[in-house]
Amino acid sequence: MATQDSSQSIMRRKPIDDIEEENKHSGLHKSLGLWQLTAIGVGGIIGVGIFSLAGLVAHGSETEPGVGPAVLVSFLIAGLASAAAALSYAEFAGMIPRAGSAYTYGYVALGEIIGWFIGWDLLLEYIAIVAVVAIGISGYFDAALSGVGIHMPVWMTSTPDEGTGGIINLPAILVCLLVTWILSRGTKTFGRFELIAVGIKVVLILFIIGLGVFYINTNNYNPFFPSGFGPVVAGSATVFFAVFGYDAMSTAAEEATDGKKHMPKAIILSLIIAMLLYVAATLVLTGMQNFTEIDPKAGFASAFNSVGLPVIATIISVFAVLSILTVMLTFLLGVTRVWFSMSRDGLLPGWFSKTDQHGTPQRVTWIAGAGAAVLAGILPIKAVADLTNIGILAAFVVVCLSVIVFRYKKPDAPRTFRLPLMPLVPAFGVLSSLFLMFQLHWETWLRFVIWLVVGLIIYFTYGRKHSLMNPDSPRHEEIVEMHRPLT
């Protein structure tokens, strides 16, 4: 076949008809049911957002004023933007139950260069999420030890940028490696752990809400908007980190026992459960303690300490560590499956898509885990959180655009879920995501652009030539050789 010209090759779309055949030979094991998928989604959404970022945004930082009780509004704004994207994800997930999530949806609907752009974006963002959650766990771990009289040296629990004399965040590094080991044991083991850990997490949050409501001082709600409405909107861009775990869960579609049926339900259920818990928890947090006194690293621990319940604060810190682990697991799963999918499509070397006897891509699992450990050890939590958010918001823009394009290009494609009010809902998702992106600091944009430029260089020097959508790809010969019968 003649080689396609550059404009044709970078816009070529992956045929949806190829996906079912690929799923049969993916090497991934199908072991996740509806409730395990929902648990993965809830596990990805609820975690550092409620245990760390809620306190951080309410209290404020050196560069951002505290929004106080209005952190609740920040969560609602972020949740509304996320809901539009969630419905778009649900429609795609019911139609294309394939590892890769937004990467795959963009590849199918908008073309290879868009798929590459969003896949490369997600590799960094998911690794950054694992890192920021590890930093959050480190804060609660330090609080738990302090509650029993053990104080870790400052040099090993914070980074130089925090200005506290720290050198490296060692607990954050260690927890990254622990989570990587758990995920490396296989999807079935991971699914069981996630279901149990998420159950503990939900019980913990209900306990916090149920007990904390008796210690609310309504004076702490006045003023509700201590810094005005502008910082509340900016805060929504930061806490957006807390409301999108379902997108990482959708990367496990190939490992679902019935992806087309269960994925849309799991996406919607997980977001509803999370938002209900967020609303109640933020009201309790800012009602128990004045926002100026909340510990931005361990908000609920400091809130219960402030009302004379140090034992409860220690218990919260201990269980927060366990419950936040589920977020790390969900997003580490996400980055490995996106990486696996891009490698399988030929956009990255096939070496990365090898799986072991558990159906786990071990190579990318450990590489991603090590990368998250490095970020967690040297960067402060807000810098990593903002870097994460800009990438996920970009993914949401692509998915919302993709669902509009695909609904009109392939109106008769079988869909187990159809989002309502097309195209108003996904259009709102695009606009709200772009709006939140522009609330982020220019340094975040700079890091994001540099990462994308590096990605484009890799795509044009390797991915475009080796893509399986290229009829002259060297990977076709590799696949033929792999399936050649032994003589």
Side-chain angles (χ1 to χ4, degrees):
M1 294 183 184
T3 304
Q4 295 167 303
D5 65 48
S6 177
S7 63
Q8 289 176 316
S9 65
I10 67 172
M11 296 309 295
R12 55 198 170 201
R13 294 178 176 85
K14 188 171 187 66
I16 193 171
D17 297 335
D18 291 353
I19 290 176
E20 287 291 339
E21 188 63 28
E22 284 181 354
N23 289 354
K24 296 176 184 177
H25 307 288
S26 69
L28 301 174
H29 291 182
K30 296 185 180 297
S31 57
L32 302 174
L34 173 62
W35 292 111
Q36 286 174 310
L37 290 168
T38 303
I40 294 171
V42 173
I45 298 171
I46 300 178
V48 74
I50 196 168
F51 287 112
S52 293
L53 290 183
L56 174 67
V57 173
H59 177 272
S61 63
E62 292 183 1
T63 58
E64 300 289 344
V67 304
V71 67
L72 166 64
V73 181
S74 294
F75 272 99
L76 290 176
I77 292 172
L80 189 61
S82 185
L87 292 171
S88 300
Y89 271 89
E91 177 162 324
F92 264 122
M95 192 168 40
I96 308 173
R98 183 181 190 265
S101 184
Y103 154 71
T104 299
Y105 308 153
Y107 200 167
V108 169
L110 301 179
E112 186 171 277
I113 189 64
I114 304 300
W116 168 267
F117 160 78
I118 213 61
W120 182 251
D121 163 40
L122 290 179
L123 293 185
L124 175 64
E125 309 320 322
Y126 284 173
I127 290 174
I129 291 170
V130 176
V132 75
V133 175
I135 297 169
I137 288 180
S138 177
Y140 269 93
F141 183 67
D142 192 27
L145 291 180
S146 298
V148 294
I150 301 174
H151 299 281
M152 298 177 68
V154 174
W155 70 265
M156 63 183 291
T157 57
S158 60
T159 59
D161 290 348
E162 294 181 60
T164 57
I167 298 175
I168 191 169
N169 195 329
L170 189 59
I173 292 174
L174 294 176
V175 78
C176 283
L177 298 178
L178 170 63
V179 166
T180 304
W181 178 80
I182 293 172
L183 188 60
S184 73
R185 307 312 298 164
T187 307
K188 191 171 184 179
T189 301
F190 155 73
R192 289 173 178 170
F193 177 87
E194 190 86 345
L195 192 59
I196 294 169
V198 168
I200 294 172
K201 176 191 295 190
V202 171
V203 169
L204 172 65
I205 295 172
L206 291 175
F207 170 74
I208 289 171
I209 294 168
L211 180 60
V213 73
F214 292 104
Y215 293 90
I216 288 177
N217 179 354
T218 55
N219 290 330
N220 289 328
Y221 293 138
N222 187 23
F224 197 82
F225 292 90
S227 304
F229 194 71
V232 173
V233 177
S236 68
T238 297
V239 301
F240 192 82
F241 176 92
V243 293
F244 58 70
Y246 56 81
D247 74 301
M249 177 261 285
S250 69
T251 66
E254 275 182 58
E255 292 152 281
T257 53
D258 189 348
K260 287 188 175 181
K261 179 180 178 182
H262 292 155
M263 288 301 301
K265 293 179 181 178
I267 288 171
I268 295 169
L269 277 173
S270 60
L271 184 59
I272 290 173
I273 292 169
M275 288 308 301
L276 289 174
L277 293 175
Y278 276 144
V279 167
T282 51
L283 279 172
V284 168
L285 173 64
T286 54
M288 289 181 66
Q289 187 175 25
N290 187 279
F291 76 94
T292 60
E293 300 170 357
I294 292 174
D295 182 350
K297 281 191 173 182
F300 283 101
S302 72
F304 278 94
N305 269 320
S306 73
V307 295
L309 295 174
V311 174
I312 299 299
T314 301
I315 292 172
I316 289 172
S317 296
V318 171
F319 281 97
V321 170
L322 174 63
S323 65
I324 295 175
L325 280 176
T326 62
V327 181
M328 297 182 68
L329 279 165
T330 297
F331 284 100
L332 190 58
L333 173 77
V335 68
T336 60
R337 274 36 177 190
V338 172
W339 201 330
F340 167 88
S341 192
M342 293 175 74
S343 172
R344 181 176 57 183
D345 290 338
L347 299 179
L348 290 171
W351 185 85
F352 294 120
S353 58
K354 304 296 183 185
T355 58
D356 66 3
Q357 69 272 21
H358 301 296
T360 301
Q362 290 285 354
R363 293 167 178 172
V364 296
T365 298
W366 283 101
I367 294 171
V374 171
L375 287 180
I378 63 174
L379 291 178
I381 189 168
K382 192 174 189 305
V384 187
D386 284 348
L387 182 61
T388 293
N389 288 343
I390 193 170
I392 297 300
L393 286 163
F396 279 14
V397 170
V398 169
V399 172
C400 290
L401 283 174
S402 296
V403 81
I404 295 172
V405 171
F406 211 69
R407 179 75 74 89
Y408 289 102
K409 281 185 173 290
K410 298 281 186 180
D412 299 324
R415 294 168 168 84
T416 57
F417 173 81
R418 299 174 72 92
L419 66 82
L421 300 176
M422 172 65 81
L424 294 179
V425 170
F428 174 77
V430 171
L431 295 175
S432 57
S433 296
L434 288 172
F435 175 76
L436 291 176
M437 287 177 73
F438 285 107
Q439 305 305 308
L440 296 169
H441 198 270
W442 70 266
E443 290 180 352
T444 303
W445 276 91
L446 179 62
R447 295 186 187 109
F448 182 59
V449 170
I450 291 172
W451 177 254
L452 294 183
V453 170
V454 172
L456 286 175
I457 293 171
I458 294 174
Y459 173 73
F460 282 106
T461 56
Y462 180 90
R464 186 165 65 95
K465 176 182 176 182
H466 290 79
S467 168
L468 294 184
M469 295 301 295
N470 177 6
D472 299 321
S473 169
R475 288 287 295 275
H476 290 302
E477 297 177 10
E478 295 175 22
I479 293 171
V480 170
E481 189 63 33
M482 285 172 55
H483 293 90
R484 191 186 302 279
L486 298 175
T487 56

